[in-house]
Amino acid sequence: SSNVWTADMLTKVMAYFHAQEVMFTLSSLQMSIKSYLKNLLYQPRQLLSEFQQLDQQQFQTAMKYLFNSRKDHLEVGNISLDWDKTRERIFQSPGVNRTLFLVTLDKCFLALSVLDCVDILSQVLRVSAVNYLQPDVIGSLPNVLQEDAFRNLSTVFKDLYDKTSAKTRRALYGWMKQILQKSCNMSEFNESTSWVSAENLWILGRYMVHLPLEEIMKISLNEIRLFISYDNATKQLDTVYGITPELAQAFLERINSSGFDMRNTSTIYRQDSFSFSFMAVLGLLVCFYDDMEQMDAAVARALLHQMIKCNQLRGFQAEVQKLKSQLLNIAMQNQTLNDILGSLSDAVVGLTSSQLESLSPDAVHNAIATLNQVSGWAKSQVMILSSKYLSYEKVLSFYTVSQMGALVTGISTQSFYSMNPKDLSQIIQGTTPQYLSDLSPAQQQGILRKIAASGDFSSSVKDIQGAFFKEISLSDLWKQTGYNSSMMKEKELRRSQALCLYELLSKKYYPVDLLSTGQLVKGVTCQLIESMGTDFFLNTFKFFEKNLHLLSPYQVNCLAWKFWKVSNVSIPPFLLSVLPIEYLEYVSGPLCVPFIESLGKTEMDLLNPSLHKKNAVLQKVQECLNGSIADEYDVDLLGNLICHLPPAFLHSRMSLKAMATALYQFKLCQQLSHEQKTEIKYKLLELYGSPNNWTAETTLDVGPFIALMSKGELNVLAEKFPDIILQIAKTIGPISSAEELLSTVFESVSNASANIESSLSRPDCLGTRAPSSDEIIKLAEANAFWSVQELKCMDAGTFDKNVELLGTVSGFNGSQLIALKEKAKQVWGSLPDWKSYHIVSLGRIALALTEHEIQELDLHSIDTISVLSQQTEWTLTQARSILQGFVEDSGQMISTLKSFDLVGLGAILCALNSTEIMSIRTAEFSAAVARIGLLFCSTPVLRQFKKMTESVFSTATSWNSSILQDIGTIAGGLNEDELKAFDKNLMPYFQPIAIRCIPPEIFQTLSPEQIANLGPENAAMVTRLQREHLNASQLQSLQLALDGARTSTPETQTGASTTQAVQTPAPSAPCLSGLGIWLCAVFTLHLPF
């Protein structure tokens, strides 16, 4: 209707329905409209069809209501629609957003003002640009646009640059170029001049990195000069993260040719009243400046200052490091490092430990304003600089620490512990909170122990923010008073802390106050959930839903049972997946889409830790999809569920159309199996053809999946796109997952390095290529392919400069690690002379140290031990040597160790004998017990730790849920009688890692009731050996726990068959099927806004 709504129109509408012999009341009509709208939200393809049938006027109104209406409700006569909620639901649905995007491209530019359409596009694209903006869609963009609209739309695309695929960026560049060329007077341009004016360069923004080299060289020098003079040219050049060295140098050459003297830092270019120093204008182009001839020290320092932003580049870090190193040498001409330390910007990160060791405390103090802002420090560098700074300051105070910035992590644990407690309290709430989370657990424990011992802990607890709070022990939490609910909003809690604090705070605060804090939801027990009244539960469920990622699978299971009991007709569909498998029968028809959509927004492993259950849920998902992933709408709907689909389904049921959109989603998947990756590889080959014919953009988009290609295909890609392959390889992870790719990278980098460096000082190195710094930085994990002989022939300076990076390579074998250890001895001298920072910088190389070599080291510092304990491959004899070395060198006995010593020792504690464990002081053990509960020690050691835990928390049979949760793997030391004595309701509060630590012969003593109450996550952790010791009744109980069966209250034993059906959306009225959605929903197109 084109008429404005009038009072009698509703009567006419009802009369129309009755004339059609469709009997409707007002309320049933309202329900029908709501149901129709709801159904369309779950059927985005149908919605697209409805939209396409709207005429121009109807489309205008629909867009106004969606994007400009300020109304919360739509009143149509006596019918009221909650428009605010409907709109929110629309914009939360990826499929509906895709429809809005496609229909806007299709109809908007014909029906609305161009600027309105650009505004609508920008709103829709911000939801999921990477999925909607596929290259083929770019062809639908209008190729004639008025200037304002084009600028606005290109600004939207510039903002979305990082959220789109490489192919889409290339297509968008092509679209922008086409329009910009049309807007130019092309008669002025020929083969020798370019269409790229200063203004066009500005409009292109980050897309300027797609300009071909020859086009850049044709840009008029006047236009280059004009562009550089723009106020925001620097801002633009600061964001060209994807620029290559070749393009950057081409731009630099044009800029240089346009009349700037790059070497003169005082060169000021003036236009009107605007002036600027040239060096600051180059943005990220400075990262590739290569004209070093006759450069003076001042220019080198100015360049280094600008290069602080180069770590934002996509790749080319080896080239940047090399340039910084060259500039560093020039900057230091005729000056000492002490004199110019403060003017070297972040190039100081490139200094070796011996260079840093040579600095005077005075120089470090004077340069602290620069040093404290630099990122990218290695642990050993921070240790040296902190030590120098503190030796100048003499007294460690709040002020001293607040000046140190990133160097705070180099302060020793003992130094923190020696500080004034009031200063420490200030640090916790002071100016360096961003660096507190970078402190090691030992350092954090040192700070907490000192404050706790001072009696000033209660007032400090409220100021401890974020993850730091997780280090507070249960014992210390119990001792304090004065907690309130609002205090918890800025803190991160361990589950054991949350259980304890929720119980404590529930005595004086309403549950809503506690649940709204976020983190405290971790402390809600099943009993609490079951005791909630129906209305209260339904009203507060939003707090659980919002913080689903903080809940355990057991808590989610309890929520599902509660919801099923109080309101199974409105249970959120994803909760059906955590109930026993038979409840999945309720998911069919109209419930399918909301079921998949809600699962796709949730972490599957949180809902279903058991493989059997996960497979049943995935089977249901496949049924709901009618056995195939047909197109991009299905990919939108699946969300992260796509990561879990079985290989056979991907192989035969996924269309190529869907694959193009799914690639981005697959790249986000954390744990794809080898079989899934193989199927993805075949789909990619089907979609893009042979890698021999791929473009740079295709290679970038395929990203980590290139690791699945054959050696021959990888060689072709490495030859065509060496920089891209390097960039991808950096993100791949350990060698086991990508051996072929990493070996290809190694060969590619090796072949590119024409010079063979050999050490003439060693006869056995003649003709052997020695690794260079440049190669080591480029190779990262691929360094594992150096031969032992090549590592032996490495130059001493190269080793000293790159030891930290080499220490992170997970693929080195024993022989390679021994070669690197011997190189360390050669460079740093005999073992007793090694400083703490030397030992810390070794990383995995330290694993090659023998028992006797470890005894020669100076291991007095717990911070050194703390770093060593992070290696997981120590043998028991090596660990024992480290332990003895620390105790002897620090002049302590096991009985005098502080809690921060215990925390710092970490996995090395597994080497303690029973006498030593029992000599640990109870108060110190108590403060460290949660950290010790993360260790996987042998059963005899866990039994001794269990005895110590009893001295803290009383006998095992008296432990509650928060204690069981807190002690982690220590529960693996419980004996048969203790384990049997636990109430079945405590079983879910064992940490999952504790379950697998319980010896099978002890585990088998659990009763069937206890096993049935383990909860889904703990049940999924039961090992094969543990299963083999169980009888039929126990195995049945284990299956119940895995399925998420309810065991705590009798009413739930009635099966799924006795409950009423889950509500499905009401069918729409037959009369509505032929009408456009907006006519149907609001009857009129001219309701006043």
Side-chain angles (χ1 to χ4, degrees):
S1 167
S2 57
N3 301 318
V4 176
W5 184 266
T6 56
D8 64 339
M9 196 166 285
L10 190 59
T11 314
K12 291 178 181 174
V13 169
M14 295 303 291
Y16 168 78
F17 283 142
H18 291 151
Q20 302 294 317
E21 296 184 350
V22 177
M23 291 304 118
F24 259 117
T25 61
L26 266 178
S27 62
S28 64
L29 181 59
Q30 180 163 354
M31 279 302 295
S32 220
I33 292 169
K34 284 182 176 176
S35 171
Y36 180 72
L37 273 171
K38 189 174 178 181
N39 277 343
L40 275 177
L41 291 181
Y42 288 134
Q43 297 172 28
R45 296 179 189 85
Q46 172 68 19
L47 182 60
L48 180 62
S49 162
E50 296 278 15
F51 260 122
Q52 284 166 338
Q53 290 171 42
L54 299 182
D55 65 28
Q56 224 163 304
Q57 194 175 27
Q58 291 166 348
F59 179 80
Q60 279 176 10
T61 305
M63 291 292 112
K64 277 182 186 174
Y65 272 106
L66 269 171
F67 293 99
N68 294 324
S69 171
R70 298 285 174 265
K71 279 181 168 287
D72 295 337
H73 286 78
L74 292 183
E75 307 292 339
V76 183
N78 297 338
I79 294 177
S80 172
L81 293 171
D82 186 340
W83 186 234
D84 218 24
K85 251 190 180 170
T86 305
R87 235 182 358 189
E88 187 185 334
R89 180 74 191 80
I90 285 168
F91 292 122
Q92 279 176 353
S93 163
V96 175
N97 267 296
R98 180 180 292 281
T99 286
L100 290 175
F101 172 65
L102 293 174
V103 85
T104 303
L105 278 184
D106 185 35
K107 295 179 81 80
C108 189
F109 290 96
L110 301 171
L112 297 181
S113 84
V114 178
L115 286 173
D116 280 346
C117 292
V118 169
D119 185 47
I120 289 167
L121 271 179
S122 72
Q123 287 185 60
V124 176
L125 280 172
R126 286 179 208 286
V127 177
S128 186
V130 71
N131 281 337
Y132 306 157
L133 271 181
Q134 294 292 332
D136 56 330
V137 171
I138 310 301
S140 310
L141 291 170
N143 52 17
V144 178
L145 275 177
Q146 53 198 15
E147 192 178 342
D148 281 358
F150 171 67
R151 282 172 178 256
N152 288 5
L153 193 51
S154 59
T155 300
V156 171
F157 292 143
K158 282 190 277 190
D159 290 346
L160 295 171
Y161 190 92
D162 287 323
K163 294 180 179 175
T164 49
S165 69
K167 280 190 161 186
T168 299
R169 289 173 203 160
R170 170 66 67 185
L172 283 169
Y173 161 76
W175 173 77
M176 291 165 84
K177 172 187 168 185
Q178 183 187 10
I179 291 184
L180 289 170
Q181 282 181 325
K182 278 184 185 169
S183 67
C184 298
N185 182 353
M186 286 310 286
S187 62
E188 294 175 18
F189 299 101
N190 53 45
E191 283 190 11
S192 61
T193 57
S194 172
W195 57 272
V196 184
S197 63
E199 193 174 6
N200 288 353
L201 207 50
W202 165 242
I203 290 169
L204 281 173
R206 291 179 64 180
Y207 291 88
M208 66 187 275
V209 302
H210 297 282
L211 285 164
L213 205 56
E214 54 275 17
E215 193 68 62
I216 295 169
M217 298 315 289
K218 289 194 314 190
I219 300 174
S220 143
L221 297 180
N222 285 337
E223 296 297 333
I224 284 283
R225 199 178 298 115
L226 183 58
F227 173 71
I228 286 294
S229 72
Y230 285 171
D231 283 12
N232 32 28
T234 310
K235 188 178 172 187
Q236 177 166 322
L237 291 173
D238 275 346
T239 62
V240 289
Y241 311 120
I243 200 157
T244 64
E246 296 74 29
L247 292 182
Q249 278 152 12
F251 275 116
L252 286 169
E253 191 179 318
R254 294 309 278 164
I255 291 167
N256 210 13
S257 303
S258 71
F260 290 105
D261 177 3
M262 297 213 197
R263 297 226 186 104
N264 186 349
T265 51
S266 62
T267 297
I268 303 282
Y269 178 77
R270 289 187 174 80
Q271 178 171 326
D272 303 326
S273 60
F274 177 63
S275 66
F276 56 88
S277 168
F278 172 72
M279 202 61 80
V281 160
L282 292 176
L284 291 175
L285 300 182
V286 297
C287 306
F288 303 103
Y289 185 86
D290 64 348
D291 186 6
M292 303 288 171
E293 237 177 279
Q294 299 175 330
M295 182 185 285
D296 67 29
V299 174
R301 288 199 293 276
L303 266 171
L304 283 173
H305 183 66
Q306 292 302 319
M307 287 183 76
I308 201 159
K309 54 193 122 175
C310 295
N311 59 359
Q312 297 175 73
L313 284 170
R314 309 266 189 272
F316 307 109
Q317 287 307 313
E319 288 81 352
V320 170
Q321 295 300 335
K322 194 172 181 180
L323 175 57
K324 282 184 180 178
S325 187
Q326 291 169 329
L327 291 170
L328 200 55
N329 292 335
I330 297 169
M332 288 167 62
Q333 280 169 2
N334 306 321
Q335 300 200 59
T336 67
L337 195 50
N338 280 328
D339 294 334
I340 61 161
L341 184 64
S343 60
L344 298 180
S345 195
D346 73 340
V348 287
V349 170
L351 297 171
T352 63
S353 54
S354 45
Q355 285 175 305
L356 293 175
E357 189 59 80
S358 71
L359 291 167
S360 70
D362 199 39
V364 174
H365 176 265
N366 293 337
I368 197 68
T370 301
L371 301 176
N372 66 10
Q373 292 179 50
V374 171
S375 60
W377 290 115
K379 176 73 175 167
S380 58
Q381 292 176 310
V382 172
M383 287 169 77
I384 297 169
L385 290 169
S386 293
S387 166
K388 298 270 180 194
Y389 180 69
L390 296 177
S391 68
Y392 177 92
E393 288 290 343
K394 303 291 188 290
V395 178
L396 191 54
S397 64
F398 166 67
Y399 173 76
T400 322
V401 173
S402 66
Q403 296 302 299
M404 293 177 71
L407 299 183
V408 161
T409 56
I411 300 173
S412 74
T413 299
Q414 191 58 54
S415 298
F416 276 126
Y417 189 70
S418 305
M419 278 181 73
N420 181 311
K422 284 195 166 50
D423 281 334
L424 286 173
S425 294
Q426 278 185 287
I427 289 169
I428 283 174
Q429 55 190 289
T431 53
T432 52
Q434 71 270 36
Y435 301 115
L436 286 182
S437 57
D438 296 333
L439 296 178
S440 72
Q443 288 170 312
Q444 294 185 358
Q445 184 63 220
I447 292 172
L448 289 172
R449 285 310 283 155
K450 188 57 177 272
I451 298 174
S454 71
D456 191 31
F457 200 44
S458 289
S459 57
S460 301
V461 163
K462 65 177 183 293
D463 298 316
I464 300 174
Q465 305 297 348
F468 201 103
F469 192 86
K470 289 172 86 170
E471 296 301 321
I472 298 173
S473 71
L474 270 192
S475 307
D476 282 332
L477 274 188
W478 285 337
K479 289 176 198 163
Q480 310 313 319
T481 52
Y483 295 115
N484 62 56
S485 58
S486 59
M487 197 189 278
M488 298 298 148
K489 288 188 176 168
E490 305 301 322
K491 304 185 192 316
E492 208 174 308
L493 306 178
R494 296 196 308 275
R495 202 167 294 284
S496 57
Q497 291 173 319
L499 284 161
C500 164
L501 288 167
Y502 194 99
E503 187 182 353
L504 199 67
L505 290 167
S506 62
K507 290 167 184 163
K508 57 175 182 173
Y509 291 97
Y510 291 113
V512 172
D513 298 327
L514 304 183
L515 295 174
S516 63
T517 63
Q519 287 280 324
L520 278 176
V521 298
K522 292 177 181 176
V524 179
T525 63
C526 239
Q527 287 80 354
L528 272 167
I529 292 169
E530 283 175 5
S531 66
M532 289 177 179
T534 299
D535 290 345
F536 177 78
F537 173 76
L538 294 174
N539 289 330
T540 54
F541 181 74
K542 61 186 177 199
F543 294 119
F544 293 112
E545 199 167 23
K546 183 182 170 188
N547 295 296
L548 213 53
H549 61 290
L550 299 177
L551 301 176
S552 69
Y554 177 65
Q555 287 175 301
V556 178
N557 183 251
C558 297
L559 287 170
W561 278 117
K562 178 68 176 181
F563 224 123
W564 184 262
K565 180 185 166 189
V566 302
S567 181
N568 59 23
V569 294
S570 63
I571 186 169
F574 75 92
L575 286 181
L576 290 170
S577 73
V578 305
L579 295 175
I581 288 167
E582 57 268 26
Y583 285 79
L584 290 172
E585 291 167 18
Y586 289 99
V587 179
S588 62
L591 258 188
C592 262
V593 173
F595 175 71
I596 297 177
E597 188 181 338
S598 58
L599 273 181
K601 292 176 181 175
T602 318
E603 187 42 62
M604 183 72 157
D605 292 331
L606 167 67
L607 300 178
N608 297 293
S610 118
L611 189 62
H612 172 66
K613 184 78 171 295
K614 195 182 287 181
N615 289 339
V617 171
L618 291 172
Q619 188 56 46
K620 176 55 70 176
V621 168
Q622 291 168 59
E623 282 173 31
C624 278
L625 288 170
N626 294 323
S628 71
I629 305 175
D631 57 17
E632 57 272 43
Y633 278 110
D634 284 341
V635 176
D636 292 340
L637 179 63
L638 280 164
N640 64 31
L641 260 183
I642 206 164
C643 304
H644 302 278
L645 292 172
F649 188 73
L650 296 177
H651 172 75
S652 57
R653 302 293 182 171
M654 184 171 198
S655 74
L656 286 184
K657 190 178 182 189
M659 184 62 203
T661 305
L663 177 57
Y664 172 75
Q665 200 67 45
F666 281 131
K667 282 159 81 173
L668 297 178
C669 297
Q670 299 292 314
Q671 292 176 309
L672 290 170
S673 69
H674 177 70
E675 292 74 22
Q676 284 175 307
K677 287 177 182 174
T678 303
E679 294 306 339
I680 291 168
K681 169 185 132 174
Y682 289 127
K683 283 287 173 199
L684 289 170
L685 291 173
E686 215 180 321
L687 184 66
Y688 296 133
S690 163
N692 300 344
N693 305 321
W694 286 2
T695 61
E697 285 77 23
T698 304
T699 311
L700 268 172
D701 286 342
V702 171
F705 293 112
I706 64 165
L708 305 164
M709 303 301 161
S710 71
K711 191 76 169 78
E713 291 165 336
L714 285 168
N715 287 337
V716 170
L717 291 174
E719 199 173 321
K720 282 166 70 177
F721 313 116
D723 295 324
I724 292 173
I725 298 301
L726 262 182
Q727 193 180 326
I728 293 169
K730 292 262 187 185
T731 65
I732 284 282
I735 194 165
S736 56
S737 61
E739 191 162 351
E740 296 273 273
L741 171 61
L742 293 175
S743 81
T744 304
V745 165
F746 182 78
E747 289 158 18
S748 170
V749 170
S750 303
N751 296 339
S753 310
N755 60 322
I756 293 182
E757 297 179 30
S758 59
S759 171
L760 297 176
S761 59
R762 287 186 56 173
D764 59 335
C765 286
L766 284 171
T768 301
R769 193 163 112 253
S772 68
S773 276
D774 198 36
E775 289 169 316
I776 290 169
I777 293 167
K778 281 182 180 174
L779 290 171
E781 192 60 32
N783 278 297
F785 290 94
W786 292 110
S787 71
V788 170
Q789 185 61 23
E790 285 168 333
L791 293 173
K792 282 180 180 175
C793 294
M794 192 190 307
D795 175 72
T798 303
F799 176 82
D800 202 23
K801 197 170 184 178
N802 298 290
V803 60
E804 304 255 359
L805 199 158
L806 293 168
T808 64
V809 177
S810 66
F812 279 138
N813 62 32
S815 307
Q816 290 169 308
L817 293 174
I818 289 169
L820 290 167
K821 175 194 71 177
E822 294 303 324
K823 178 61 65 178
K825 287 184 188 176
Q826 186 191 324
V827 176
W828 298 332
S830 64
L831 294 166
D833 296 334
W834 286 11
K835 302 277 197 302
S836 285
Y837 61 79
H838 286 134
I839 302 167
V840 159
S841 66
L842 287 171
R844 281 191 75 241
I845 301 168
L847 294 168
L849 292 163
T850 65
E851 188 183 341
H852 300 299
E853 285 172 329
I854 290 168
Q855 287 165 4
E856 288 185 64
L857 296 172
D858 174 4
L859 297 178
H860 76 278
S861 163
I862 191 57
D863 300 291
T864 307
I865 304 298
S866 180
V867 173
L868 290 177
S869 72
Q870 288 167 20
Q871 297 301 331
T872 56
E873 301 160 80
W874 295 114
T875 64
L876 197 56
T877 52
Q878 283 176 312
R880 186 73 199 167
S881 282
I882 293 170
L883 177 69
Q884 287 172 329
F886 170 64
V887 173
E888 288 165 18
D889 294 347
S890 63
Q892 297 195 78
M893 296 182 290
I894 301 293
S895 60
T896 62
L897 294 179
K898 299 272 195 307
S899 63
F900 52 80
D901 294 322
L902 298 174
V903 168
L905 279 160
I908 305 297
L909 288 173
C910 294
L912 288 166
N913 63 39
S914 56
T915 312
E916 289 168 334
I917 292 173
M918 297 317 289
S919 72
I920 297 170
R921 281 184 292 187
T922 304
E924 305 305 326
F925 186 87
S926 167
V929 71
R931 280 275 164 192
I932 295 170
L934 298 174
L935 307 176
F936 291 97
C937 299
S938 66
T939 303
V941 172
L942 292 178
R943 283 186 181 141
Q944 295 306 315
F945 282 152
K946 190 268 303 180
K947 286 181 185 171
M948 281 300 300
T949 306
E950 288 185 304
S951 67
V952 176
F953 296 128
S954 187
T955 56
T957 49
S958 68
W959 293 348
N960 62 18
S961 56
S962 55
I963 294 171
L964 255 186
Q965 180 67 214
D966 203 51
I967 64 171
T969 57
I970 296 172
L974 291 161
N975 64 34
E976 297 177 17
D977 295 332
E978 290 162 339
L979 199 56
K980 278 194 297 191
F982 279 114
D983 184 284
K984 63 179 185 180
N985 290 322
L986 285 175
M987 299 311 291
Y989 298 103
F990 280 90
Q991 276 194 39
I993 53 171
I995 298 297
R996 58 177 50 206
C997 290
I998 302 171
E1001 63 278 8
I1002 305 283
F1003 189 78
Q1004 70 179 355
T1005 63
L1006 287 170
S1007 70
E1009 290 74 28
Q1010 285 175 306
I1011 291 174
N1013 278 275
L1014 278 170
E1017 191 176 19
N1018 284 348
M1021 294 300 275
V1022 174
T1023 66
R1024 184 179 55 80
L1025 264 177
Q1026 286 170 329
R1027 272 175 180 268
E1028 286 172 4
H1029 281 69
L1030 300 181
N1031 62 34
S1033 171
Q1034 288 171 312
L1035 285 170
Q1036 192 179 0
S1037 291
L1038 183 62
Q1039 195 54 52
L1040 286 173
L1042 286 167
D1043 279 351
R1046 192 168 185 184
T1047 52
S1048 53
T1049 47
E1051 73 244 324
T1052 59
Q1053 296 304 332
T1054 61
S1057 56
T1058 60
T1059 48
Q1060 63 189 93
V1062 177
Q1063 187 182 46
T1064 58
S1068 56
C1071 69
L1072 301 179
S1073 55
L1075 294 173
I1077 172 178
W1078 306 103
L1079 282 172
C1080 192
V1082 283
F1083 301 109
T1084 174
L1085 297 173
H1086 290 293
L1087 288 177
F1089 285 98

